[in-house]
Amino acid sequence: MDTNFSASQTQDSDDVQEMYCEECEKHDDRYTPAVGFCVDCVEYKCVNCLRYHMRHYKNHTVEEKNTMPQDFYFEKCSSHPKELIKFFCSECEKTACQECKNNDHKNCCNVSHLPTLAKDIKTSTELKSLKENLDKLSNDIKDTKNKLDDKCATMDSLENEAKATVKMHKDKLIATYKQQQNEIIDNFDKKMKETIAKLKKERKVLVEELAEKQSKFKLRISDEEQRTVKAVENSNADFKTLRKKHLALVDDLKKLSAELVQAQPLGLNCKLFLTMKFTERICEKLSQNMQEFQNNFIHHYKVEPKIESKQSIQSLETTTAFFSYIEIHKSAVERTATFHSDIKHLFYGMSSLCLLNESTLLATDYDRCSLAIFKITKKTSQCYDIIELPSEPWDITKLTDNKVAVTFPNETITRLFRSPEAMIRLITFSDLMSVVNTNDIRVSPPCHGIAYSNNNLIVSNEENGTVQILDMSGRIIRTIGKDSNGKPLFTKPWYLVVSPDNTTIYVSDYERHTVISLTVDGKVKAIYKDDQLKHPRQLTVDESGAVYVCGRWSYNVHQLSSDLTKVKILLNKGQGMNSPMSVAYCKNNNTLYVGMRGRNIEVFNLK
C-alpha cells in the first residue's frame, strides 16, 4: 500500500550511511549490515543471505558494497510494517514498498527504485528550480506582509470609525424608542379610562338584561318543577283516594257494628233488622274495596334531569324541558329475594315446577319417571305424595285448580315395537290430590315445553325447532318456527310460559342461551341474550308480567321485564343457586320456588 513521506520508522535519519540486510530484519527481526545489493530483487543483503541468494539466483545482477546504492531511505510502509519504502511511482506521486508495488502499482509504468532516483538529486535541475521558487516565495511573503500591515492599519481605522457611528446611532434610536413607548402608554392610559367608563355603562345595562333573563328562567324552571311534582303526586292520587275510601268504610263498619251490638239486648228488632241490612251492604262494599286495593299496583316512576347541570347559559335559555318523568312498567320494578325455607326432597332429574294452588306444588322428576306433590304452608313445605308415571315427564302446566297437563317427550305407542311418540297427558286430581282421571293427547316427538292459554295448549318441539298452538284435542292451530326473514327461531326450545294477559309467549332456548317473546300469531317481539345467562331452563311470570328464568350453567335466576329488558340477577351462586333447573311463582304468597338438580327445592320470599 502507498504511504506518504513521514519520519523514519527504522532509522533516526538519512545521515546514517549504513544499510541493513532486509531479509534478516524481515524474517529474524535483527539488524545485520548489508554487503551487497540485488538489482533484480531490489534488496540489500548481508554476507550469508547474499551467498544463498547467489547460489539460487545465479542470473541475478548483484552489486557489491562499494558500488551498491548508498543513498538509503529507512522508512517502513504503514500497511506492511516489515517492508522498507524503496520505490516511488511518478504516475501516482506516491511511495511504495515491495508489497505495495506488486499489489497497488502493478499497472503503473513508471515505478522506480527510490535510491536510484535520488542518486543525482543534489545536482538536478528540479532541485535548483525548487530552491529558486522557494527564494521567490520568501520574498513574496515579506512583500505581502508589509502590504497586509498597511491594510490592517486602514481596517482598524475604519473599524473604530464604524463602532463610534453605531454607538452614537444606537443611543439615538433607544432614546427615540423609549420616547415613543411612553407616548403609547400615555395613549393607552387615556383609552383605558375612556373604555372603563364605557364598560361601566355597558355593565349596568348587561346586569339589568341578565336580571330580567334570570327572572324568566326561574319562572320557566319553576313551572317545569310544578308540572313534574304534579305528575309525581298524580301517581299516588289513586292510592290516596282508595285509602280514604277504605278508611271511611272502616269507620262506617265500626259504627254499624256498635249499633248492631247495642240493638240486640234492647229488643229493638226493627232497628236490629235495618242495622243488619246496612251492615251487610257495608261489608260487601268493604270486601270490594279490599279486592280493589289488593289488585292495584304501585305506579313506579323515576324523575331524571334532562340536561347536565353544567351547561352554557345559551343552552339553559333554549332548553324547553329540564326534567323527565318516566313511568316504570310494573314488570321492570326490581324485586328482592330472601330465603324462606327449602323443600327437602332430592331430585336427580328435576324438569319443571308448577303451582296448582297456593297450598300445592307439583314437580316432575325426569330420571325417576315420577310426579311429586308437596303440601305448602306458611311455615313449612313437605312431600305429600309421589305418583309413578309410565315414562319420563318433562314440563307441566296448570289447566284448572285440579287439573294439569304434562309432556312426555319419549312416550312409546306399544311395548312390542316401541315406536317413538310424544305424549301430553291431562291429569285430574281429587280434593285429596289423588289421580281421578287421565287423558292422553299424542303429538309429534319430542314435545318438551308446555303452557295453557285461552283453552289452548302451547307446546315446543326440539326436533323441528318450533312452537305449536294446539286445541285441547291435539289439533295444530298454528306453528311458529321462522322469523320474518325465514330463518329458524329456535334450536332447543325446552320451556315456555304465557304472560298474565295471554298476549305474549316467552320461550327459553337452551342451546342459543336466549329468551324470546312472541305474539300468539308468531311475531317476534324481543330477544334476551346476556353473557351472564347460560343454558336457560324453565321460566315463569308473576302478576305484573315480570319474567323469571333460571340459567343452569350460569348458576343464577334472571329477572326480566315484560319486554325482556334485564332488570337484575335476582339469585346467584352465593344465594345457593347450583344448577337451577326449574322455577315457579306463587302470587298469593309472593313466593318463588327454585328447583335444582340433585338438591332440594329452595323457597324465596319476594319483595
Side-chain angles (χ1 to χ4, degrees):
M1 182 176 179
D2 300 335
T3 183
N4 295 324
F5 297 102
S6 60
S8 173
Q9 296 174 354
T10 59
Q11 301 290 338
D12 290 336
S13 69
D14 287 343
D15 293 337
V16 179
Q17 296 298 317
E18 185 173 15
M19 184 62 189
Y20 296 110
C21 176
E22 293 182 58
E23 290 289 337
C24 293
E25 183 181 1
K26 185 187 305 182
H27 299 293
D28 299 332
D29 200 22
R30 59 190 177 87
Y31 299 100
T32 305
V35 296
F37 176 76
C38 178
V39 176
D40 295 280
C41 295
V42 196
E43 280 187 351
Y44 292 92
K45 300 183 183 293
C46 65
V47 173
N48 293 330
C49 291
L50 188 61
R51 184 183 305 118
Y52 287 115
H53 188 74
M54 291 176 67
R55 182 184 303 168
H56 293 286
Y57 301 97
K58 296 179 180 180
N59 58 337
H60 281 202
T61 303
V62 176
E63 295 180 354
E64 296 181 355
K65 185 173 183 178
N66 294 329
T67 60
M68 69 181 182
Q70 299 296 317
D71 203 345
F72 313 126
Y73 188 69
F74 297 101
E75 291 291 336
K76 294 292 183 74
C77 179
S78 60
S79 299
H80 309 96
K82 290 188 177 183
E83 296 287 340
L84 285 172
I85 294 173
K86 298 189 292 182
F87 303 99
F88 182 79
C89 178
S90 299
E91 294 181 21
C92 301
E93 290 288 327
K94 290 182 179 179
T95 59
C97 67
Q98 186 67 50
E99 292 289 334
C100 292
K101 176 187 175 186
N102 296 337
N103 296 330
D104 299 340
H105 299 277
K106 57 185 177 180
N107 296 323
C108 297
C109 298
N110 197 4
V111 180
S112 305
H113 184 231
L114 186 60
T116 302
L117 284 176
K119 182 177 180 180
D120 299 321
I121 191 68
K122 292 181 179 179
T123 58
S124 67
T125 306
E126 184 179 354
L127 179 61
K128 179 180 179 182
S129 176
L130 179 60
K131 288 181 178 180
E132 291 176 354
N133 287 337
L134 286 174
D135 292 339
K136 183 177 181 301
L137 183 60
S138 177
N139 293 331
D140 290 343
I141 288 172
K142 291 180 181 178
D143 198 27
T144 301
K145 179 181 179 300
N146 294 332
K147 292 179 180 179
L148 285 174
D149 289 342
D150 293 340
K151 289 180 179 180
C152 286
T154 303
M155 292 300 295
D156 289 342
S157 175
L158 291 173
E159 179 182 345
N160 293 333
E161 183 180 351
K163 287 180 179 179
T165 301
V166 169
K167 186 178 183 308
M168 180 180 65
H169 194 55
K170 180 196 73 172
D171 294 340
K172 288 181 179 180
L173 290 175
I174 290 175
T176 301
Y177 186 82
K178 186 176 180 180
Q179 180 184 354
Q180 291 186 13
Q181 273 191 332
N182 292 334
E183 291 176 358
I184 290 172
I185 292 172
D186 291 341
N187 290 333
F188 183 82
D189 290 342
K190 181 179 179 182
K191 288 182 180 179
M192 185 175 68
K193 291 179 180 179
E194 294 174 353
T195 303
I196 289 173
K198 182 179 179 182
L199 288 175
K200 285 182 177 181
K201 188 181 294 185
E202 291 178 357
R203 183 184 183 279
K204 182 180 179 182
V205 175
L206 180 62
V207 169
E208 293 174 354
E209 290 178 353
L210 291 177
E212 183 179 356
K213 288 183 178 181
Q214 186 180 27
S215 177
K216 291 180 180 179
F217 178 74
K218 285 183 177 180
L219 183 62
R220 285 174 53 231
I221 200 169
S222 296
D223 291 343
E224 180 79 7
E225 180 188 18
Q226 290 179 8
R227 286 194 295 271
T228 306
V229 171
K230 185 67 175 176
V232 170
E233 291 174 348
N234 289 339
S235 298
N236 299 330
D238 292 342
F239 277 91
K240 291 179 179 178
T241 302
L242 191 62
R243 189 169 183 273
K244 288 180 181 179
K245 182 179 178 182
H246 176 266
L247 292 175
L249 286 172
V250 170
D251 290 340
D252 291 343
L253 182 61
K254 287 180 179 178
K255 188 183 296 183
L256 289 172
S257 297
E259 292 177 0
L260 191 65
V261 173
Q262 291 174 1
Q264 290 183 35
L266 297 177
L268 302 175
N269 292 337
C270 292
K271 185 174 182 180
L272 179 61
F273 177 79
L274 294 175
T275 302
M276 180 183 69
K277 291 299 181 182
F278 284 139
T279 303
E280 289 175 352
R281 196 178 307 161
I282 292 298
C283 285
E284 184 179 351
K285 288 184 179 180
L286 185 58
S287 297
Q288 293 175 355
N289 178 243
M290 288 295 293
Q291 189 65 37
E292 183 183 359
F293 185 79
Q294 291 175 358
N295 291 338
N296 270 271
F297 288 96
I298 296 175
H299 294 288
H300 289 270
Y301 59 87
K302 61 180 177 180
V303 175
E304 295 179 342
K306 294 194 74 170
I307 61 171
E308 296 288 338
S309 57
K310 293 182 178 180
Q311 291 286 327
S312 66
I313 191 170
Q314 291 82 5
S315 297
L316 293 173
E317 288 177 350
T318 55
T319 299
T320 56
F322 301 95
F323 307 102
S324 61
Y325 172 84
I326 304 170
E327 290 191 0
I328 301 175
H329 191 269
K330 55 190 177 183
S331 65
V333 177
E334 289 191 7
R335 307 292 291 271
T336 57
T338 55
F339 178 78
H340 175 264
S341 62
D342 59 1
I343 301 175
K344 298 186 181 301
H345 183 85
L346 223 55
F347 285 90
Y348 291 99
M350 172 166 301
S351 295
S352 63
L353 296 173
C354 173
L355 256 297
L356 190 61
N357 51 58
E358 62 179 306
S359 61
T360 307
L361 175 69
L362 305 179
T364 60
D365 192 330
Y366 186 83
D367 287 358
R368 292 180 173 177
C369 298
S370 63
L371 177 66
I373 304 173
F374 300 97
K375 190 70 176 178
I376 307 297
T377 65
K378 289 186 177 180
K379 293 184 179 180
T380 62
S381 304
Q382 58 184 348
C383 185
Y384 184 73
D385 196 7
I386 299 292
I387 300 174
E388 299 296 331
L389 300 172
S391 64
E392 299 92 341
W394 186 268
D395 199 6
I396 182 171
T397 188
K398 173 182 174 180
L399 303 181
T400 65
D401 286 341
N402 69 333
K403 193 173 183 179
V404 296
V406 182
T407 57
F408 295 85
N410 303 315
E411 189 75 14
T412 56
I413 295 177
T414 65
R415 295 286 179 182
L416 180 60
F417 298 104
R418 300 193 64 82
S419 301
E421 184 78 0
M423 186 79 70
I424 298 174
R425 181 160 291 128
L426 309 183
I427 304 175
T428 305
F429 299 96
S430 67
D431 292 340
L432 298 178
M433 292 306 297
S434 61
V435 177
V436 296
N437 185 40
T438 61
N439 183 26
D440 294 343
I441 303 173
R442 287 189 172 87
V443 291
S444 299
C447 175
H448 283 90
I450 188 168
Y452 178 71
S453 174
N454 293 327
N455 202 33
N456 289 323
L457 295 174
I458 306 173
V459 298
S460 63
N461 189 302
E462 177 187 343
E463 186 171 327
N464 52 31
T466 62
V467 169
Q468 294 178 330
I469 301 177
L470 314 177
D471 63 16
M472 296 307 295
S473 66
R475 183 177 64 87
I476 299 175
I477 299 173
R478 181 176 294 107
T479 298
I480 304 168
K482 305 287 186 180
D483 61 15
S484 58
N485 296 320
K487 295 182 179 180
L489 279 173
F490 315 108
T491 303
K492 287 187 177 181
W494 278 357
Y495 293 92
L496 50 85
V497 72
V498 180
S499 64
D501 59 3
N502 294 307
T503 62
T504 305
I505 303 169
Y506 299 99
V507 184
S508 68
D509 194 311
Y510 186 80
E511 189 166 293
R512 293 190 179 186
H513 314 287
T514 58
V515 177
I516 301 178
S517 62
L518 308 162
T519 61
V520 291
D521 59 357
K523 182 179 179 182
V524 177
K525 297 177 68 175
I527 298 176
Y528 176 71
K529 186 174 179 64
D530 188 271
D531 290 339
Q532 294 178 296
L533 179 66
K534 300 296 182 184
H535 298 289
R537 297 278 297 208
Q538 191 176 14
L539 63 172
T540 187
V541 294
D542 64 16
E543 67 275 11
S544 71
V547 181
Y548 305 90
V549 57
C550 51
R552 179 176 182 182
W553 297 121
S554 51
Y555 305 101
N556 52 28
V557 174
H558 289 230
Q559 178 191 347
L560 314 176
S561 64
S562 59
D563 62 355
L564 294 189
T565 299
K566 183 178 182 179
V567 179
K568 66 183 296 188
I569 294 178
L570 184 68
L571 297 167
N572 55 35
K573 201 170 185 178
Q575 294 161 288
M577 294 299 101
N578 193 329
S579 189
M581 305 275 283
S582 52
V583 63
Y585 173 76
C586 180
K587 172 183 176 182
N588 294 332
N589 297 328
N590 207 17
T591 305
L592 195 70
Y593 298 86
V594 183
M596 287 165 282
R597 182 177 178 85
R599 297 176 180 270
N600 298 325
I601 299 174
E602 303 291 324
V603 186
F604 296 89
N605 291 329
L606 296 185
K607 294 184 181 179

